[in-house]
Amino acid sequence: MASSAPAAGAADAGTPGSMGDVRRGNLALVLGRIAQSGAGTHLTRAQVAAASGLTKASVSSLVLDLLDAGIVREIGLNPQGERGRPGVGLELNPARGVMGMEINVDYISAGVTDLAGNLLLHQTREQDNRIASPGSVAAALAGLAADLRGNAEAQGVRILGGGLAVPGLVDVKTGTVITAPNLGWSAEALDLDALLPGVPLGTILFNEANAAALAELRYRPDGGADFLFVSGEVGVGGGLVIGSELFTGPHGHAGELGHVVVLPDGAACSCGGTGCLETVAGQDAIFAAAGIATQAAPAGPADSASRSGPAASGPSRSECLAQLLSALAAGDADALAAVTRAGRFLGVAVASTVRLLNISSVVLGGHFAILGEWIMPALSGSLERYAPGKVLPGNISLSGVGQAGALLGAAGSVGRSLVEAPHRLQVQAP
């Protein structure tokens, strides 16, 4: 069955304006102040009261709830800003964490972060998920997550919840992958509970590019509030951040950059269309144009139940990327032409997008970031030709979070949801 972060039960749902609502709001306010205090800064109860406008007595009572739930912990004494006796500092409990997970076309990945978003553990396993059933892929990910969860618990970190990112359109409420063409999935209701059994916050489903865009927002050094994030994998995805918020559109599916048509008479795309960006700038398309053999994808969208997931033949994704990078460094004509062509048409799609949305900053992730040295000139030239002056060269940057972006974004979103509604965690610290 699908799972998401559990809603408040009927007993504590309250009514608008009730005392329960007020306390829950104040609990989130206090936890938010503690979470925003930054690394190395430990606010005291008195400082939290001053920053939040609540009374010291109210803050003390709310902090007790957060301590009992294990979300925060007391640490040392903080003499700063206090008159008289120093107060006890407060911080997010480093012994609590969340797990981010990702299913992509040719790998599965999982990572554990603390509540502040710091990556503690991370593991990736390469495998061709196009030749496996959704159930077998999910089972493999559950095994990877179990191993990582065990390692986290051995280090004293308890997992509270998780987020799963997949390269496709998703229904967050039902935990359903509506369509993931490059995986061959359609209307797949994932058993999210089985990925992290028993976690109090459940597991939430995300689109891969959107999750990575959230991570980019969290970790961007320039703190930019508006940008288009472009994810380069076997497919090409996009995430839109406007006013420091992820923009997903009315039905949550905005940002499908990989299926912007750049060659109306081009090749057939996995989405059923023709001439989409990913047919020339996706990972497999670049490898093929460069003459690099890859793991063969299934011939068509066969019944997923019949795909058991045998070992794939051919070089792995990382081996193909290494071969491409080596060829580029050696000045191989086919490799250079393939990457240049991909950058040119990426620029065509981005030019249309930034004109439509009035965005002037672009962040490249996935293989676009890895190939940045070679793809950037063609991308910049294409943008200048088709959208002159809209995106200056200095406003095109490479991802700061790397391949872990999607799982970091998924985990971070779960962590933020806890900070915004800590009353959902009805557990006691051991």
Side-chain angles (χ1 to χ4, degrees):
M1 59 182 281
S3 174
S4 63
D12 70 344
T15 57
S18 71
M19 290 299 292
D21 283 335
V22 172
R23 185 169 183 82
R24 283 191 289 273
N26 288 340
L27 198 66
L29 179 60
V30 168
L31 182 57
R33 293 294 181 181
I34 296 171
Q36 294 165 12
S37 60
T41 302
H42 306 123
L43 299 181
T44 66
R45 289 167 175 78
Q47 290 172 326
V48 172
S52 64
L54 300 175
T55 66
K56 292 182 180 180
S58 293
V59 169
S60 293
S61 175
L62 294 164
V63 167
L64 282 177
D65 285 352
L66 295 173
L67 289 169
D68 287 343
I71 305 174
V72 302
R73 73 169 183 175
E74 296 178 323
I75 180 169
L77 296 177
N78 183 357
Q80 297 181 354
E82 300 284 351
R83 291 184 179 179
R85 184 177 179 182
V88 176
L90 301 166
E91 69 172 1
L92 294 175
N93 190 352
R96 298 293 182 271
V98 293
M99 186 176 294
M101 296 165 283
E102 181 182 3
I103 293 172
N104 218 299
V105 175
D106 46 9
Y107 65 88
I108 57 175
S109 185
V112 175
T113 73
D114 61 22
L115 297 182
N118 300 305
L119 186 62
L120 307 177
L121 299 167
H122 179 213
Q123 188 173 347
T124 296
R125 182 182 301 163
E126 291 191 0
Q127 60 182 51
D128 192 341
N129 295 319
R130 292 170 291 188
I131 59 176
S133 69
S136 65
V137 175
L141 180 60
L144 182 63
D147 289 344
L148 220 58
R149 187 177 182 180
N151 292 339
E153 290 175 350
Q155 297 179 28
V157 178
R158 180 183 180 187
I159 305 300
L160 300 180
L164 169 63
V166 299
L169 304 182
V170 302
D171 184 331
V172 176
K173 292 182 180 180
T174 64
T176 300
V177 179
I178 299 171
T179 178
N182 289 309
L183 285 170
W185 294 6
S186 178
E188 292 292 345
L190 300 178
D191 186 357
L192 299 178
D193 286 333
L195 295 177
L196 291 172
V199 293
L201 297 180
T203 299
I204 306 175
L205 189 62
F206 295 87
N207 167 268
E208 170 264 333
N210 284 342
L214 287 173
E216 209 62 47
L217 177 64
R218 162 73 169 77
Y219 294 97
R220 285 193 84 194
D222 61 5
D226 306 285
F227 61 90
L228 168 66
F229 176 79
V230 186
S231 170
E233 299 283 349
V234 171
V236 176
L240 302 170
V241 173
I242 301 174
S244 296
E245 296 287 341
L246 182 68
F247 177 77
T248 59
H251 304 291
H253 303 153
E256 283 291 284
L257 188 72
H259 300 293
V260 171
V261 177
V262 294
L263 280 170
D265 298 320
C269 181
S270 62
C271 72
T274 299
C276 297
L277 174 62
E278 73 175 42
T279 65
V280 290
Q283 197 174 94
D284 285 351
I286 294 175
F287 291 155
I292 296 174
T294 62
Q295 294 175 353
D303 179 7
S304 61
S306 68
R307 292 180 282 164
S308 59
S313 60
S316 68
R317 172 185 58 91
S318 59
E319 290 169 337
C320 290
L321 275 173
Q323 187 177 343
L324 177 62
L325 289 170
S326 179
L328 290 168
D332 180 83
D334 288 341
L336 291 170
V339 173
T340 297
R341 184 169 185 259
R344 176 192 168 202
F345 285 108
L346 176 60
V348 171
V350 170
S352 299
T353 304
V354 297
R355 281 190 180 277
L356 183 65
L357 299 174
N358 194 30
I359 289 178
S360 59
S361 184
V362 178
V363 182
L364 303 180
H367 66 256
F368 296 133
I370 296 172
L371 300 173
E373 176 183 346
W374 294 276
I375 209 167
M376 195 73 79
L379 170 61
S380 298
S382 191
L383 279 171
E384 186 56 32
R385 178 177 181 182
Y386 299 112
K390 287 297 296 181
V391 181
L392 300 177
N395 287 342
I396 306 174
S397 59
L398 306 182
S399 170
V401 294
Q403 187 181 339
L407 68 85
L408 280 172
S413 184
V414 174
R416 285 189 298 275
S417 74
L418 174 60
V419 172
E420 293 168 358
H423 67 276
R424 295 183 299 123
L425 192 61
Q426 302 298 323
V427 296
Q428 297 293 313

